[in-house]
Amino acid sequence: MKPTQSDPTVQPVPAAVVAAVDAADTTLSNPRWAVLALGANLGNRLENLQGAVDALGDTPGLRVKVVSPVYETEPWGVEPDSQPSYLNAVALVKTTLPPSSLLERAHAVEEAFLRVRDERWGARTLDVDIITYADVVSDDPVLTLPHPRAHQRAFVLAPWHDADPEAQLPGHGPVAALLAAVDRAGVTPRTDLELRLPE
């Protein structure tokens, strides 16, 4: 006797199911959201930022889910015109890496782009900072979470708000409100530039 329904294993999978599976982090078990700030003011700045996004995307246990628009910004904490301007962006990632391993990976990506740590706030080919990791709050001097100065920095808040208008900075509140309270002078959208998600 034939079954009344055909074998479901040979049926085409509905497009909606395929999309749902593709959107799910099937390779990540219990992932956490993290926010990474990217910056470069030496070399080919856009290529360096895109290289960072791609390198992060190649990291086991990490998926880059959103990349913000690009901003051109004046250097922070230095004399005017003493350094080239930065390109800045923010990446929202899902990861199963613990914060310490994520920091190690961020430093490894910086080093791959010949980042030199000679001076605080010095010019650099690439800067990858962890801004938040889930809702973790930590005063560990090696990795303070959230980033202790993120709430003051328009070059972090502006692209982050673009990437996630509902974002919250733990301990400080909505990114939208923080952005409204800081000086945005010298932080300019570069609508002619774009970063791509890793393929």
Side-chain angles (χ1 to χ4, degrees):
M1 180 177 174
K2 286 186 177 181
T4 55
Q5 293 185 336
S6 59
D7 184 347
T9 60
V10 298
Q11 295 295 308
V13 179
V17 173
V18 173
V21 170
D22 287 348
D25 290 295
T26 54
T27 60
L28 301 184
S29 176
N30 194 26
R32 303 292 187 91
W33 281 100
V35 177
L36 305 178
L38 312 175
N41 74 335
L42 295 177
N44 187 320
R45 300 172 300 165
L46 187 66
E47 280 189 10
N48 292 352
L49 294 188
Q50 185 63 59
V53 171
D54 293 342
L56 290 166
D58 286 339
T59 304
L62 188 152
R63 294 289 178 270
V64 181
K65 305 299 287 182
V66 181
V67 179
S68 77
V70 177
Y71 281 76
E72 184 142 14
T73 67
E74 295 301 318
W76 170 276
V78 298
E79 289 294 318
D81 302 320
S82 64
Q83 290 184 20
S85 61
Y86 276 83
L87 291 184
N88 289 99
V90 162
L92 309 184
V93 307
K94 272 189 165 181
T95 185
T96 55
L97 299 176
S100 58
S101 297
L102 184 59
L103 180 64
E104 288 177 6
R105 180 57 176 161
H107 286 170
V109 172
E110 290 177 342
E111 288 164 13
F113 285 83
L114 308 179
R115 161 73 185 270
V116 177
R117 295 178 179 273
D118 285 341
E119 59 178 305
R120 189 180 191 191
W121 295 325
R124 68 280 310 263
T125 52
L126 183 63
D127 194 23
V128 181
D129 283 335
I130 302 173
I131 303 301
T132 65
Y133 181 97
D135 294 324
V136 173
V137 176
S138 167
D139 58 4
D140 183 333
V142 175
L143 176 57
T144 303
L145 291 170
H147 191 289
R149 291 173 294 280
H151 65 287
Q152 303 169 333
R153 294 180 167 180
F155 65 84
V156 171
L157 298 171
W160 186 8
H161 181 260
D162 288 345
D164 181 5
E166 304 301 318
Q168 299 270 337
L169 181 61
H172 293 280
V175 169
L178 297 171
L179 180 59
V182 298
D183 182 3
R184 296 184 64 163
V187 178
T188 307
R190 286 293 303 268
T191 55
D192 57 319
L193 304 178
E194 186 178 8
L195 295 172
R196 305 176 310 276
L197 286 171
E199 295 181 357

